[in-house]
Amino acid sequence: DKVILLSFREEVTTLLTGDETYEQRKEAISKLHNKDNKTLLFEAIMQTADMADALKNNHRKVVIVISDGEDFAVGTSTSEEAKAALNVRNMPVYAMGIKDTNMDNLNQFGEFARSLGGNLSLFSASETTDVLFDIKDAISNTWVVTLKADNNCVNNQLNTVKLDVLSTGISRRKEVMLSQYEKDTE
């Protein structure tokens, strides 16, 4: 596993690229402080998606965002642009919303996360570790299924996919958007 850590205020800063030692990670995290109420939330999410693309591997990628859900961006990425960028990359967002902040912002933040396959957890400082472990458990207990069709045609519509795991008796249905394809090389 690798962790890329970005902080976002009036600018987005990359603090960890995933290749640091434990001590370097610990030092970078210890320097994080809430210094600014004007943040570029969705620009940071867009940059995260771009950095994940640059990794050029087929490993599962998720985004964990700690925020009050407010974005002060003018002329940069919007929530719709960030949602589209993550949706095409199949990257869920697990949002950690700071309790006792604007409920409208938190509701929109939660809607954003749920629309991408994640969720919103509200927390206070004393609950941070518990919420992070809950997110870790959610990620660990998520199944990633790669399906292959007999052609590369997409319809850009929601389609019902049903998965039956015969050995366990588990059956799941999910609406998925058929929007990605592999180039035809034959």
Side-chain angles (χ1 to χ4, degrees), residues 12-28:
V12 179
T13 305
T14 301
L15 300 174
L16 300 173
T17 61
D19 296 319
E20 294 79 7
T21 66
Y22 172 78
E23 289 302 321
Q24 290 169 324
R25 290 190 302 260
K26 189 174 171 181
E27 181 182 345

Side-chain angles (χ1 to χ4, degrees), residues 1-70:
D1 292 344
K2 284 190 172 194
V3 173
I4 297 171
L5 179 64
L6 283 75
S7 69
F8 50 98
R9 298 180 194 113
E10 290 186 50
E11 61 183 40
V12 179
T13 305
T14 301
L15 300 174
L16 300 173
T17 61
D19 296 319
E20 294 79 7
T21 66
Y22 172 78
E23 289 302 321
Q24 290 169 324
R25 290 190 302 260
K26 189 174 171 181
E27 181 182 345
I29 291 169
S30 71
K31 290 181 180 178
L32 283 174
H33 298 287
N34 184 9
K35 299 177 185 175
D36 192 342
N37 288 328
K38 294 184 177 180
T39 58
L40 299 176
L41 172 62
F42 297 111
E43 178 62 24
I45 291 172
M46 289 289 286
Q47 288 186 28
T48 301
D50 292 341
M51 290 177 78
D53 274 353
L55 294 174
K56 299 288 185 201
N57 63 40
N58 292 325
H59 297 103
R60 181 170 53 155
K61 299 171 181 94
V62 300
V63 178
I64 300 172
V65 183
I66 303 171
S67 177
D68 62 3
E70 195 163 5

Side-chain angles (χ1 to χ4, degrees), residues 122-176:
L122 298 180
F123 75 104
S124 64
S126 63
E127 300 166 314
T128 305
T129 302
D130 292 337
V131 172
L132 284 169
F133 276 113
D134 289 346
I135 291 171
K136 178 192 169 290
D137 289 343
I139 292 168
S140 297
N141 291 316
T142 298
W143 292 8
V144 177
V145 179
T146 302
L147 305 172
K148 187 171 182 175
D150 57 356
N151 64 54
N152 69 341
C153 298
V154 297
N155 61 11
N156 291 309
Q157 297 177 1
L158 287 175
N159 296 268
T160 302
V161 173
K162 181 181 177 196
L163 176 67
D164 294 319
V165 182
L166 300 177
S167 62
T168 65
I170 294 173
S171 180
R172 298 286 188 267
R173 287 181 183 268
K174 177 141 177 87
E175 295 293 316
V176 297

